[in-house]
Amino acid sequence: MAVTTMIGAKIHRREDPRLVSGEGRYVDDFTRPGTVFLSVVRSPFAHALVKSIDITQATKAPGVVAVYTYKDFAKVLSGTMPVTPSFVAEKKQIPPRFPIAEKEVVYQGEPVAVVLAETKYQASDASNLIDVEYEQLPAVMDLDKALEAKSPKVHSDGPDNLGWDLTYIPDDPAVMKEAEVVIKARILQQRLAPTSMETRGVLAEYSKPDGTMTVWMSSQSPHFVRLFLGGAMGIPENRLRVISPDVGGGFGAKISPYSEDWLVPAAAKLSGRPVKWIESRTESLLTTTHGRGQVFEVEAGAKKDGTLVFIKATQYLDIGAYMGTFAAFQACACLLAGGAYNWKHVAARTVGVLTNKVPTDPYRGAGRPEATHLCERAIDLLAGELKMDPAELRRKNFITTFPHTNHFGLVFDSGAYEKAMDMAMGIAGYEKLRKEQEEGRKKGKYLGIGMSSWIEICGFGPSAATAPATGGIALVESAQVRVFPTGSVAVYVGTHSHGQGHDTTFPQIVADTLGVPYDSIELRHGDTAEGPAFGYGTYGSRSLAVGGMAVHKASKKVVDKARKIAAHLFEAAEEDVAFDQGHFYVKGSPDKRKAFGEVAFASYGAGLPEGMEQGLEAVAYYDPSNFVWPFGTHIAVVEVDTQTGHVDLKRYIAVDDCGNIINPMIVDGQIHGGVAQGISQALYEEIIYDDESGQMRTGTFTDYLVPSANEFPVFELGRTITPSPTNELGVKGIGEAGTIASSIAIINAVCDALSPFGIKHVDMPASPDRIWKLIHDAQAGSNHGKEARK
Amino acid sequence: MKHKVSTTVNGTRREHEVESRLLLVHYLRDVVGLTGTHIGCDTSQCGACTILVDGKAVKSCTMFAVQAEGKNLTTIEGMAKDGELHPLQQAFWDEHGLQCGYCTPGFIMAAAYLLEQNPNPTEDEIRRGLEGNLCRCTGYVNIVKSVQAAAKTMGGARAKPTGHQAVTAGGE
């Protein structure tokens, strides 16, 4: 057994020297000779009929190469954009979506025409000369109204606005009656823009003579895009190459294929020129899939002694005008509604509702932040009714034995929830904080302490569980490990890094498995022309627990072959050959040994064992036996200024457990970023549409508030390590943890701060105007307020 | 109509004929071919395109190329000297001050000007000084650490204390 040297080490990232030097290569940094620039003409309306499109002036404009509309694209693209079953196998309807509108536009920003010109300025100029005649139709913007029988329809030829309605587990009235204390809440998960700093972009080049297409794009999942794009264009996968170079952030919004991912390659084929399109920020806010966009009705009950009895959640999910490829993924919020606790009964139903807005799709956490939010809010509300400390209510009801099968049949592989909570409380100085809070209130200082004990399902996923959700393809991951004759190693994977540091961490795994120097290993990813035939990409905190395991498995296959060769060289039986820290030797004679590199060289030579082929490389596909289940507890400390409604985030403590760790520096970085995004949802960000017109009111960074360094404190991190029994590396995922935990830690803290006013609920974002109004109304309307003001 | 523009970019004299409306950031990326300066928004909020114009941090999407006539421009590609990373570049690497790396050139340029103005900033001064730049990956924790580490390495060598100053206000 090799002694672990690289796994767990704080190795500085090898991708950084190029990125800090301006030598990173993002999609807009690529160009091809003769490239033309594409500008998309988009619907200014949320819902309208397209009566006519006049392109005459645009085609005459300087530099214009071509103008294409639906009828042009229909010649080179077929079928509709993909929708996977995800967590709702049977939909009521899936509105067919072609990448460009023909007769009806159903959200603001939907493509109507494209212009190709010699420069990006010329393309932009000419796109303003296209005259589209619209007939406006009523826009369906509100979830409740959309479900009313008399509501206008999102698609004028649709049956109604219901996308799906699935009850996973119904109520159990008998159990509900056992509860002595019951709470109810309506929780809004506002629409968010994922907002990677690099927007989307596509560059495509078509070679007519050999029928090959090369597409450069900013994507989390190039293989997945190739699968569907090939189908739409009638190009087999072996002639279609998708390259995702350096990617400037994804956060879930660069998984699914988009209209432009079809339109740009199609325009390249139609025009015979390489075509480039780079999304503007306004286009991004308007047309890149949004996250969240849900309303939850929650009811929960407990016994007077604090024993939890039931929780019931109904999710209303704002699908948007079309179903995103993974629209129903967020329904996993229902399956985790019970969180980290033992309940006698958990009931859940999801309802998907169509609206005239851009589709929602996974955004960092995707369903799991929503589950944590509703469950952890219910726990705090119950604690309030029971007059128990929220930490004690958690402690009393935590799941403590593993594996644990929840009400929906999901098996939690491991956990130590109380340990993580105790550590978080220790770092926070919980008892002292409660005393400070009590003292403060006497002086009109409103401190709030909010807790979030989160769990996560990740590492998507075991084929038995995921194949039905993906429409048949097993969500496994692939890796190829190739050892060259002089001992250097190339590793090809189907996952793709967009900030997670795979260039560094995956070679750390290989270095330990092969026992070769870290610097001799190179990771290659993001190019479908390299490595195994298929990989699913990076999302759902799966790259390490699934992709990393594929790398580990392929490395072990390489060692297995190398061991056979070594045994042959030693003239010994294979089972008598030991492998330790990069050296083979016959057991009992460790001084006579052969380095891995020597065996690698021999593998390309003559005199191999009978029947063995030359070379030293292996491909592995890893199909996990279960999901993996990280967890932890976060604590937020806020102070609310009751005069202005401003929430001052004073401290943020995060204790997370993601099993064994490959690189602690990268794990901490993932937590920092995730926590910041959840805080951003709790306090700052919100996509707002006008309810009547359907116009987006947050179409630039002037209105969509992405926080700066000034809005955050330093996060205080702690860590417990509970290795996952699901995989040999004992690893889980950490990419989404911070976001899953943090929105509700903040909201619980804000509600805690405002509890003297009798305020039990705060919608996100908890902006100063919203808080001020809550306090103002509470003071005006109740004696509570008068007391609090004293 | 095209105009002649002459600048010095990272120490090299550059002369081109450009449209009057060409943004400086597009000039640098598409005409000069230096793609390390990035574009992250349309409204001068994100700071990904920050460069130094005559030593002062400027969002290069807020200037036309022709306004750079006669100016001395420094982009991220001009920060390393003789194969050695600038202390800020080294510090971002050492402190894991970047993840996807897209905002990083802008942060490094803004931080360079911040440290020029205030060689020993407090944490609060760093946070306020970099508020014109947005990062979506790091929660800013390690960006702040990186700037603190670089300030230490640079040892206040360029001490020219003028107190705190917002550093990322756009072109003038």
Side-chain angles (χ1 to χ4, degrees), chain A residues 13 26 121 125 685 710, chain B residues 21 26 99-100 131 136 140:
Chain A
R13 299 199 323 168
Y26 303 88
Y121 285 41
D125 288 346
E685 295 180 21
N710 224 5
Chain B
R21 63 174 174 170
H26 287 142
Q99 289 179 30
C100 81
E131 72 182 354
R136 196 61 163 168
Y140 304 100

Side-chain angles (χ1 to χ4, degrees), chain A residues 464-475:
Chain A
T466 56
T470 58
I473 287 188
L475 259 174

Side-chain angles (χ1 to χ4, degrees), chain A residues 64-124:
Chain A
V64 169
V65 172
V67 177
Y68 300 129
T69 60
Y70 171 86
K71 63 181 191 326
D72 304 295
F73 286 110
K75 291 175 203 159
V76 286
L77 292 171
S78 62
T80 53
M81 307 286 291
V83 177
T84 63
S86 290
F87 290 105
V88 180
E90 286 188 22
K91 311 289 196 301
K92 301 285 184 191
Q93 60 175 312
I94 299 176
R97 181 183 195 181
F98 194 73
I100 190 162
E102 183 187 9
K103 294 172 181 159
E104 186 175 355
V105 286
V106 288
Y107 68 93
Q108 187 189 17
E110 185 166 11
V112 176
V114 305
V115 178
L116 271 53
E118 299 291 347
T119 74
K120 65 182 84 162
Y121 285 41
Q122 288 171 333
S124 180

Side-chain angles (χ1 to χ4, degrees), chain A residues 5-20:
Chain A
T5 51
M6 297 305 290
I7 289 181
K10 179 188 171 184
I11 306 289
H12 286 96
R13 299 199 323 168
R14 54 165 58 156
E15 42 273 83
D16 287 0
R18 75 170 186 272
L19 298 176
V20 298

Side-chain angles (χ1 to χ4, degrees), chain A residues 49-308:
Chain A
L49 295 177
V50 179
K51 305 299 282 185
S52 65
I53 304 174
D54 183 354
I55 63 169
T56 322
Q57 293 304 313
T59 50
K60 292 180 196 157
V64 169
V65 172
V67 177
Y68 300 129
T69 60
Y70 171 86
K71 63 181 191 326
D72 304 295
F73 286 110
K75 291 175 203 159
V76 286
L77 292 171
S78 62
T80 53
M81 307 286 291
V83 177
T84 63
S86 290
F87 290 105
V88 180
E90 286 188 22
K91 311 289 196 301
K92 301 285 184 191
Q93 60 175 312
I94 299 176
R97 181 183 195 181
F98 194 73
I100 190 162
E102 183 187 9
K103 294 172 181 159
E104 186 175 355
V105 286
V106 288
Y107 68 93
Q108 187 189 17
E110 185 166 11
V112 176
V114 305
V115 178
L116 271 53
E118 299 291 347
T119 74
K120 65 182 84 162
Y121 285 41
Q122 288 171 333
S124 180
D125 288 346
S127 66
N128 290 319
L129 299 174
I130 290 179
D131 189 10
V132 186
E133 188 192 344
Y134 295 99
E135 180 186 322
Q136 261 191 276
L137 297 171
V140 179
M141 304 305 288
D142 179 86
L143 291 189
D144 289 336
K145 288 182 193 160
L147 291 174
E148 289 170 5
K150 61 177 192 306
S151 169
K153 286 178 288 184
V154 170
H155 295 261
S156 54
D157 59 353
D160 51 31
N161 299 320
L162 185 61
W164 66 73
D165 186 348
L166 174 63
T167 300
Y168 293 104
I169 299 179
D171 291 351
D172 185 336
V175 173
M176 288 170 84
K177 274 185 203 153
E178 290 176 28
E180 292 162 333
V181 173
V182 173
I183 61 92
K184 286 186 181 180
R186 183 176 163 89
I187 294 168
L188 172 69
Q189 288 279 345
Q190 78 271 35
R191 271 186 177 243
L192 300 173
T195 315
S196 52
M197 292 316 301
E198 182 207 26
T199 56
R200 294 184 293 122
V202 186
L203 166 67
E205 182 172 40
Y206 183 66
S207 167
K208 199 173 174 187
D210 47 17
T212 57
M213 176 79 77
T214 307
V215 183
W216 293 259
M217 64 187 299
S218 186
S219 173
Q220 296 174 231
S221 46
H223 291 265
F224 188 68
V225 170
R226 179 183 61 171
L227 178 70
F228 288 104
L229 178 60
M233 296 202 69
I235 301 175
E237 283 135 301
N238 56 8
R239 291 187 181 181
L240 175 57
R241 180 179 181 188
V242 178
I243 300 168
S244 182
D246 283 326
V247 170
F251 311 116
K254 290 179 181 170
I255 307 169
S256 300
Y258 283 88
S259 290
E260 296 83 358
D261 303 347
W262 273 215
L263 298 178
V264 175
K269 191 172 179 183
L270 285 166
S271 68
R273 300 271 299 267
V275 178
K276 187 196 263 193
W277 165 78
I278 301 294
E279 185 185 53
S280 72
R281 180 56 64 187
T282 290
E283 281 182 300
S284 178
L285 290 163
L286 275 174
T287 70
T288 290
T289 53
H290 290 161
R292 316 293 186 257
Q294 298 157 47
V295 179
F296 288 88
E297 282 170 3
V298 183
E299 196 177 338
K303 300 266 197 195
K304 278 182 182 156
D305 69 353
T307 305
L308 299 177

Side-chain angles (χ1 to χ4, degrees), chain A residues 10 12-13 16-17 20 665, chain B residues 84-98 104 108 111 115 141-154:
Chain A
K10 179 188 171 184
H12 286 96
R13 299 199 323 168
D16 287 0
V20 298
M665 178 188 78
Chain B
E84 292 282 316
L85 292 177
H86 184 279
L88 270 163
Q89 292 172 311
Q90 186 67 44
F92 270 72
W93 186 13
D94 292 344
E95 300 296 331
H96 190 30
L98 64 149
T104 311
I108 288 175
L115 294 183
V141 177
N142 290 344
I143 289 179
V144 173
K145 267 196 211 167
S146 302
V147 178
Q148 286 170 325
K152 209 169 164 187
T153 315
M154 291 158 76

